[in-house]
Amino acid sequence: MANTKNTLIADRYSDALVDLAKEGKLTFDKIGTDLTLIKNILEQSPDLNEILSNPLTSVENKKEIIEKVFTNEIDALIINFLKVLVDKNRFFVFSDILDSFNVALDDINNISRIRVTSAVEMTDESRNKLKNKLEEKLKKNVILDLNINSNIIAGLVIEMGDNVIDMSLKHKLEDLSKNIIR
Amino acid sequence: MGNLLPTIYHIWNVFVTSNLFNFVVFIAIFAWIFKKFDLKGMLTGLQKKVSDLIEAAKREKAEATQELKKAETAVANLETELTVIVKEAQKSAEFISDKILKEAAAQIESIESNAVKVIDAEEKLLVSTLSKSASKASIAVAKSHIEKVLAETPTLQEKYINESIDELDRLNF
């Protein structure tokens, strides 16, 4: 679970990026693509992430590194955004900003990302049936994040943000056990 | 004078050889002894001593009589006192006996009550433990059986997935 304080900070910076798109200076897709690219580069180079997040590294050095690494890949406005994070010593929340921006983007695009866990791989038919059902209920475009976990025995576990709908046989057996003991 | 001597002799002879003479001699000796050892005084002392003993015996007899009377009086009251003492002892014994019996009964009741409570609690605990154990065992058996059936019938997985999807209709979110 993300640190609440970091999430709040990230939300503020994410809102700034959303405003940037709303003002027409950049598209939501471009912002999302650039942020994802930066995230991938940082994941591939933990040292780069460490230098940019380390408060002992000077701000000037950090800005110089950002210029050299991202200039040809990333829009200038996003590079300036990264420099603002360095100035404010908030680069360590970059990953949270991306998550927050994606949530905001999904909200703007009326998209709901739902994590679904099954004991075996779902058939295309079941996947579509579930997707349609959820879209019908939520009145949103649904993107399923499918996972397999044999521990649930059978059935489905559906996670929508903080809400969990456990319809697995494992959960039903646990309920049954609790009722018998009572 | 010539005839006198034989006569005297004869008389002396008769006198000496007679019992009278012996008696006189005996008396003389006895008188001498009587005088010599003060037999009279001795007899008088002995008589006084006997008299004193008789007096003392009389006094003792009188005292003994008095003691006897006292003892008779005491013995006469003894039966009454004994009866009173026995009655009091009986009352005391009955009171103590009742008290002990009541206390023992209360104690037994308390022990029985506690024992019943303890047994009841233990019984509930045992039932609960057994229920939990039986429940866990049942669930484990059921789980194992379901997994076996699911492995033998792969289409069941799809069935449960579809049931889960259908279940969404009943939920509000």
Side-chain angles (χ1 to χ4, degrees):
Chain A
M1 183 180 280
N3 183 304
T4 308
K5 188 182 172 187
N6 288 356
T7 306
L8 289 172
I9 294 167
D11 285 347
R12 287 212 309 271
Y13 286 98
S14 166
D15 288 346
L17 289 171
V18 170
D19 288 343
L20 205 63
K22 283 180 178 173
E23 288 165 9
K25 292 177 181 172
L26 279 175
T27 63
F28 282 108
D29 284 348
K30 177 60 180 166
I31 295 170
T33 308
D34 281 0
L35 292 181
T36 305
L37 180 62
I38 294 165
K39 184 193 173 193
N40 290 340
I41 291 170
L42 292 173
E43 281 177 356
Q44 286 167 16
S45 175
D47 289 343
L48 176 63
N49 191 26
E50 169 65 25
I51 288 168
L52 293 175
S53 302
N54 193 339
L56 297 176
T57 310
S58 74
V59 172
E60 292 310 315
N61 279 346
K62 287 178 183 175
K63 286 181 178 177
E64 195 180 331
I65 291 167
I66 287 170
E67 287 280 354
K68 283 181 180 172
V69 173
F70 298 115
T71 297
N72 296 327
E73 312 287 338
I74 308 295
D75 191 275
L77 285 173
I78 300 298
I79 289 178
N80 283 342
F81 176 75
L82 296 179
K83 287 179 182 174
V84 171
L85 290 182
V86 167
D87 275 334
K88 302 290 183 186
N89 202 20
R90 297 295 194 198
F91 198 86
F92 66 94
V93 293
F94 177 79
S95 179
D96 295 317
I97 292 170
L98 177 58
D99 292 342
S100 178
F101 180 78
N102 283 332
V103 169
L105 198 58
D106 285 347
D107 198 38
I108 288 163
N109 293 327
N110 197 33
I111 289 172
S112 183
R113 293 176 192 274
I114 297 176
R115 182 182 166 86
V116 178
T117 304
S118 56
V120 295
E121 191 175 355
M122 291 176 73
T123 61
D124 289 343
E125 188 186 348
S126 296
R127 268 200 294 262
N128 290 332
K129 186 180 173 185
L130 176 63
K131 187 172 181 291
N132 292 337
K133 183 80 73 182
L134 289 170
E135 284 180 342
E136 183 189 327
K137 296 280 285 184
L138 297 169
K139 312 288 185 204
K140 283 187 174 182
N141 297 315
V142 168
I143 295 175
L144 296 177
D145 174 16
L146 299 169
N147 297 275
I148 295 172
N149 182 357
S150 60
N151 285 336
I152 70 166
I153 304 174
L156 294 175
V157 179
I158 296 173
E159 296 169 66
M160 295 179 288
D162 293 334
N163 295 325
V164 179
I165 304 169
D166 195 340
M167 296 173 291
S168 66
L169 270 190
K170 178 178 180 262
H171 181 67
K172 285 175 183 170
L173 281 173
E174 284 170 353
D175 272 355
L176 184 65
S177 175
K178 284 175 192 167
N179 287 332
I180 291 170
I181 290 168
R182 244 182 258 145
Chain B
M1 195 63 182
N3 291 329
L4 188 57
L5 281 173
T7 306
I8 294 170
Y9 176 73
H10 179 70
I11 293 167
W12 172 254
N13 199 27
V14 169
F15 181 73
V16 170
T17 57
S18 70
N19 284 333
L20 181 64
F21 179 77
N22 289 334
F23 180 75
V24 170
V25 170
F26 175 74
I27 291 296
I29 292 168
F30 191 77
W32 182 79
I33 290 169
F34 197 82
K35 192 177 180 181
K36 179 73 176 177
F37 294 102
D38 193 17
L39 284 177
K40 187 183 176 185
M42 285 174 71
L43 285 171
T44 306
L46 197 61
Q47 188 182 10
K48 190 176 182 304
K49 202 171 179 180
V50 170
S51 174
D52 289 344
L53 284 172
I54 289 167
E55 284 300 320
K58 282 179 181 176
R59 279 200 305 275
E60 283 178 6
K61 185 185 174 185
E63 286 172 4
T65 305
Q66 279 188 336
E67 290 295 324
L68 181 63
K69 281 180 181 174
K70 282 183 185 174
E72 281 175 350
T73 309
V75 169
N77 293 330
L78 191 62
E79 194 173 352
T80 311
E81 287 174 6
L82 208 61
T83 306
V84 172
I85 289 168
V86 169
K87 281 183 181 174
E88 284 178 357
Q90 277 179 340
K91 281 182 185 174
S92 180
E94 283 171 6
F95 174 75
I96 292 167
S97 170
D98 282 352
K99 193 180 172 189
I100 289 169
L101 284 173
K102 281 176 186 172
E103 284 176 357
Q107 206 169 358
I108 288 166
E109 197 176 345
S110 170
I111 290 167
E112 278 180 353
S113 173
N114 287 338
V116 168
K117 283 177 188 169
V118 169
I119 289 167
D120 194 38
E122 288 293 328
E123 192 179 324
K124 282 178 182 168
L125 185 66
L126 189 64
V127 168
S128 171
T129 307
L130 286 172
S131 297
K132 282 180 185 173
S133 301
S135 165
K136 282 180 183 173
S138 304
I139 296 298
V141 169
K143 186 185 171 191
S144 172
H145 180 69
I146 289 167
E147 284 173 340
K148 190 181 169 194
V149 171
L150 285 169
E152 289 169 353
T153 322
T155 52
L156 273 179
Q157 283 286 1
E158 191 62 21
K159 179 179 171 287
Y160 279 113
I161 286 171
N162 284 322
E163 278 182 8
S164 295
I165 295 169
D166 293 338
E167 210 174 320
L168 289 172
D169 287 332
R170 297 188 293 104
L171 302 174
N172 292 320
F173 53 89

